[in-house]
Amino acid sequence: MADDRREELEALLKLQRDAFTASRPESMAMRKDRIKRAMSLLKEHAENLCKAMSADFGNRAIEQSMLTDIAGTVGAGKHALKNMDKWAKPDKRPVQFPLALLGAKAEVRYEPKGVIGILSPWNFPVNLAFSPLMQVLAAGNRAMIKPSEFTERTSLLMAELVEEYFTSDEVAVVTGGPEVAAAFSSLPFDHLVFTGSTETGRRVMQAAAENLVPVTLELGGKSPVIMGRSADFEKAGERIALGKMMNAGQICLSPDYMIVPEDKQDEAVAGVSNGVSNMYPTLLDNDDYASIVSDRHFERLQGLVEDAREKGAEVIEVNPGNEDFSNANQRKMPLNIIKNVNDDMKVMQEEIFGPVLPVMTYKAVDQAVDYVNEHDRPLGLYYFGDEKAEQERVLSRTISGGVTTNDVIFHVSMEDLPFGGVGPSGMGSYHAVEGFREFSHARAVYQQPKIDVAKLGGFKPPYGKGTRKAAAGMMK
């Protein structure tokens, strides 16, 4: 990357940090004004943003983008506006006896960190840039956003609109390819948020570590669906189909594979197939069904299916309209349900991120639990069934970023629940009070009373009987 581009990024960071420092302490009214401007940007330009996303994908339903990227993100802003006064209040903390009696006080203040970098991905290009932004602004920070080059039209439109609604020392969008992203992740931000693949997350964290920049990593992984024998397979199938087919499976929380009772496999597969047929009678010319974002990603998904087939898997193509996909030039791909899978297949080794759904079976539900525990901790985990004891067993014996029971993905849409991963599926979280705290510095403030506490506590030399007595008292 040209040195002048790097200098431009560094100059922008300096501009924002200087403005942040000069404006301290900044009022809550100013924070709220920025959130309202971000919400206005989304509402006033919703249609153009949705059209840009559709053009970037090749096809993506305007209605879907309106729900996931516009309305959902405005909701995040509304939630922050409603709760931020409460979130920002200092926490009074108790002090050790007898200091409180002597007039000592302690509190934790939640203060802004400074300038936050947001590296956002292509799959929900507006939501995953602006949703963390709402909380970054609520916490009193400035922000620099680097959106994905894969959704170029959307990124350029976001850059134009942000310039219109914000001064560059408040919020700025930086566009460019992988070199710009690499330079961006190596800047000495006060905090860095990255949403994307685990592999890229490792590189981002490595770059951030050079400057000891704290990171929030929203990664992916293989989110399992565990179906209990008590599940309603038809209803569950439709819900899994909705989660798997939305955005053509290009969702970090998309159900990645199913583990079902051995004697119920056909019923589980039929439930998903019927769910797809009911929602998508056709796929190729259906505006409700999104295209795969790029040729490279499309070929990777085809490769996963072929690899599984060559290694002995059975592939069921769910093609409700019996359409010919071989000559289609739209990067549309039907759902491929894959039976008889094993861990030698690539489809069970990497996050799928598309309309491919492997199915595994178990004799006892503990086998499903053991399988999940033997692999990387997922971003989401989904359990279907009516047996509360079995559900609790699955939840208490596994670890995942979040959980939805009797559906998929929905926990991310609950504004008052933290959203984040664990281990290879991420670290840190945003949404809810946890997000506000993520982008705040918890600053300890202790106020000492007038009395000589050091002498009273035996901390002052010369040490002697009083010191020994104080130490003994502290250990009682």
Side-chain angles (χ1 to χ4, degrees), residues 8 12 56 65-66 85 92 97 112 147 176 204 206 217 268 280 295 299 320 347 350 386 397-399 430-431 438 470:
E8 180 195 321
L12 185 54
D56 279 328
S65 294
M66 202 64 87
D85 287 319
K92 301 289 180 211
F97 178 84
V204 168
Q206 212 165 3
L217 301 178
Y280 303 94
D295 290 342
E299 282 155 20
V347 79
E350 53 189 78
D386 292 329
R397 292 201 57 229
T398 56
I399 293 173
Y430 59 92
H431 293 201
E438 186 91 351

Side-chain angles (χ1 to χ4, degrees), residues 15 31 36 98 198 243 289 338 389 395 397 424 427 447:
L15 175 77
R31 298 186 192 186
K36 285 172 185 168
T198 303
Y289 188 55
I338 306 189
L395 264 57
R397 292 201 57 229
M427 62 176 67
Q447 295 179 31

Side-chain angles (χ1 to χ4, degrees), residues 122 250 292-301 352-353:
W122 53 262
Q250 298 165 107
I292 304 302
V293 74
S294 67
D295 290 342
R296 190 184 76 175
H297 191 40
F298 185 77
E299 282 155 20
R300 187 187 74 84
L301 290 165
I352 293 166
F353 226 68

Side-chain angles (χ1 to χ4, degrees), residues 38-282:
M39 290 164 68
S40 295
L41 181 159
L42 295 170
K43 288 193 275 192
E44 287 160 18
H45 300 276
E47 201 157 322
N48 285 341
L49 285 163
C50 291
K51 283 177 181 169
M53 284 183 267
S54 184
D56 279 328
F57 271 76
N59 174 69
R60 187 166 118 153
I62 300 293
E63 295 88 344
Q64 185 216 294
S65 294
M66 202 64 87
L67 279 172
T68 58
D69 281 75
I70 307 298
T73 313
V74 169
K78 281 163 68 176
H79 188 258
L81 287 174
K82 185 180 173 185
N83 293 283
M84 57 196 281
D85 287 319
K86 179 175 65 184
W87 293 341
K89 275 196 176 121
D91 277 349
K92 301 289 180 211
R93 299 289 176 94
V95 295
Q96 292 94 315
F97 178 84
L99 291 170
L101 299 176
L102 302 171
K105 290 177 184 169
E107 67 178 13
V108 177
R109 295 181 181 183
Y110 296 99
E111 300 188 344
K113 289 186 168 184
V115 182
I116 314 281
I118 300 173
L119 267 167
S120 58
W122 53 262
N123 59 327
F124 293 103
V126 176
N127 180 308
L128 295 171
F130 276 79
S131 188
L133 177 68
M134 297 300 185
Q135 293 201 303
V136 163
L137 296 176
N141 302 288
R142 313 283 167 131
M144 287 169 60
I145 303 169
K146 163 62 181 80
S148 172
E149 66 275 12
F150 287 113
T151 41
E152 191 177 6
R153 296 170 188 85
T154 310
S155 296
L156 289 170
L157 181 55
M158 283 198 295
E160 280 172 35
L161 294 174
V162 164
E163 205 172 329
E164 190 183 318
Y165 284 75
F166 294 92
T167 58
S168 54
D169 63 5
E170 292 178 304
V171 181
V173 173
V174 176
T175 56
E179 295 95 346
V180 175
F184 188 92
S185 59
S186 69
L187 291 173
F189 289 113
D190 298 295
H191 195 103
L192 181 60
V193 186
F194 168 77
T195 307
S197 71
T198 303
E199 184 192 344
T200 310
R202 286 194 176 94
R203 292 201 296 272
V204 168
M205 191 174 179
Q206 212 165 3
E210 289 293 318
N211 295 304
L212 297 177
V213 174
V215 292
T216 301
L217 301 178
E218 299 296 350
L219 310 176
K222 301 186 74 61
S223 297
V225 174
I226 297 176
M227 298 184 82
R229 276 193 171 77
S230 61
D232 177 332
F233 287 89
E234 191 179 344
K235 190 187 285 182
E238 184 160 284
R239 292 177 179 187
I240 292 162
L242 176 61
K244 191 67 183 177
M245 297 297 275
M246 178 186 274
N247 215 35
Q250 298 165 107
I251 305 177
C252 56
L253 276 169
S254 181
D256 197 276
Y257 63 98
M258 298 198 305
I259 314 185
V260 305
E262 200 171 50
D263 54 337
K264 300 276 191 180
Q265 181 176 210
D266 291 343
E267 212 176 322
V269 169
V272 176
S273 299
N274 293 339
V276 173
S277 301
N278 292 340
M279 289 181 283
Y280 303 94
T282 62

Side-chain angles (χ1 to χ4, degrees), residues 198-433:
T198 303
E199 184 192 344
T200 310
R202 286 194 176 94
R203 292 201 296 272
V204 168
M205 191 174 179
Q206 212 165 3
E210 289 293 318
N211 295 304
L212 297 177
V213 174
V215 292
T216 301
L217 301 178
E218 299 296 350
L219 310 176
K222 301 186 74 61
S223 297
V225 174
I226 297 176
M227 298 184 82
R229 276 193 171 77
S230 61
D232 177 332
F233 287 89
E234 191 179 344
K235 190 187 285 182
E238 184 160 284
R239 292 177 179 187
I240 292 162
L242 176 61
K244 191 67 183 177
M245 297 297 275
M246 178 186 274
N247 215 35
Q250 298 165 107
I251 305 177
C252 56
L253 276 169
S254 181
D256 197 276
Y257 63 98
M258 298 198 305
I259 314 185
V260 305
E262 200 171 50
D263 54 337
K264 300 276 191 180
Q265 181 176 210
D266 291 343
E267 212 176 322
V269 169
V272 176
S273 299
N274 293 339
V276 173
S277 301
N278 292 340
M279 289 181 283
Y280 303 94
T282 62
L283 297 169
L284 278 178
D285 295 318
N286 187 342
D287 285 343
D288 289 346
Y289 188 55
S291 300
I292 304 302
V293 74
S294 67
D295 290 342
R296 190 184 76 175
H297 191 40
F298 185 77
E299 282 155 20
R300 187 187 74 84
L301 290 165
Q302 300 287 339
L304 291 180
V305 175
E306 281 317 304
D307 174 77
R309 190 182 268 122
E310 283 165 16
K311 289 172 180 168
E314 181 191 342
V315 178
I316 301 164
E317 187 177 273
V318 183
N319 182 358
N322 291 317
E323 295 166 287
D324 181 7
F325 284 82
S326 58
N327 297 317
N329 195 24
Q330 299 163 266
R331 293 197 304 269
K332 289 274 186 96
M333 183 174 173
L335 178 64
N336 286 262
I337 297 175
I338 306 189
K339 292 165 70 176
N340 306 328
V341 291
N342 59 54
D343 279 3
D344 291 336
M345 298 172 185
K346 285 181 189 165
V347 79
M348 293 308 297
Q349 294 167 3
E350 53 189 78
E351 184 179 5
I352 293 166
F353 226 68
V356 179
L357 183 63
V359 183
M360 302 178 74
T361 61
Y362 66 80
K363 285 188 173 70
V365 79
D366 279 355
Q367 291 174 286
V369 167
D370 290 344
Y371 183 84
V372 172
N373 285 335
E374 283 158 14
H375 294 79
D376 286 347
R377 288 167 179 169
L379 185 60
L381 181 139
Y382 309 118
Y383 170 83
F384 285 85
D386 292 329
E387 279 186 38
K388 288 295 171 198
E390 183 181 79
Q391 175 182 303
E392 195 48 44
R393 183 161 181 77
V394 169
L395 264 57
S396 60
R397 292 201 57 229
T398 56
I399 293 173
S400 68
V403 171
T404 295
T405 66
N406 289 312
D407 212 327
V408 297
I409 301 176
F410 264 87
H411 62 278
V412 72
S413 62
M414 300 301 113
E415 286 299 344
D416 221 23
L417 284 177
F419 168 59
V422 57
S425 60
M427 62 176 67
S429 57
Y430 59 92
H431 293 201
V433 65

Side-chain angles (χ1 to χ4, degrees), residues 20-28 30-31 112:
F20 168 80
T21 305
S23 67
R24 288 212 11 101
E26 202 165 60
S27 68
M28 291 297 281
M30 189 68 231
R31 298 186 192 186

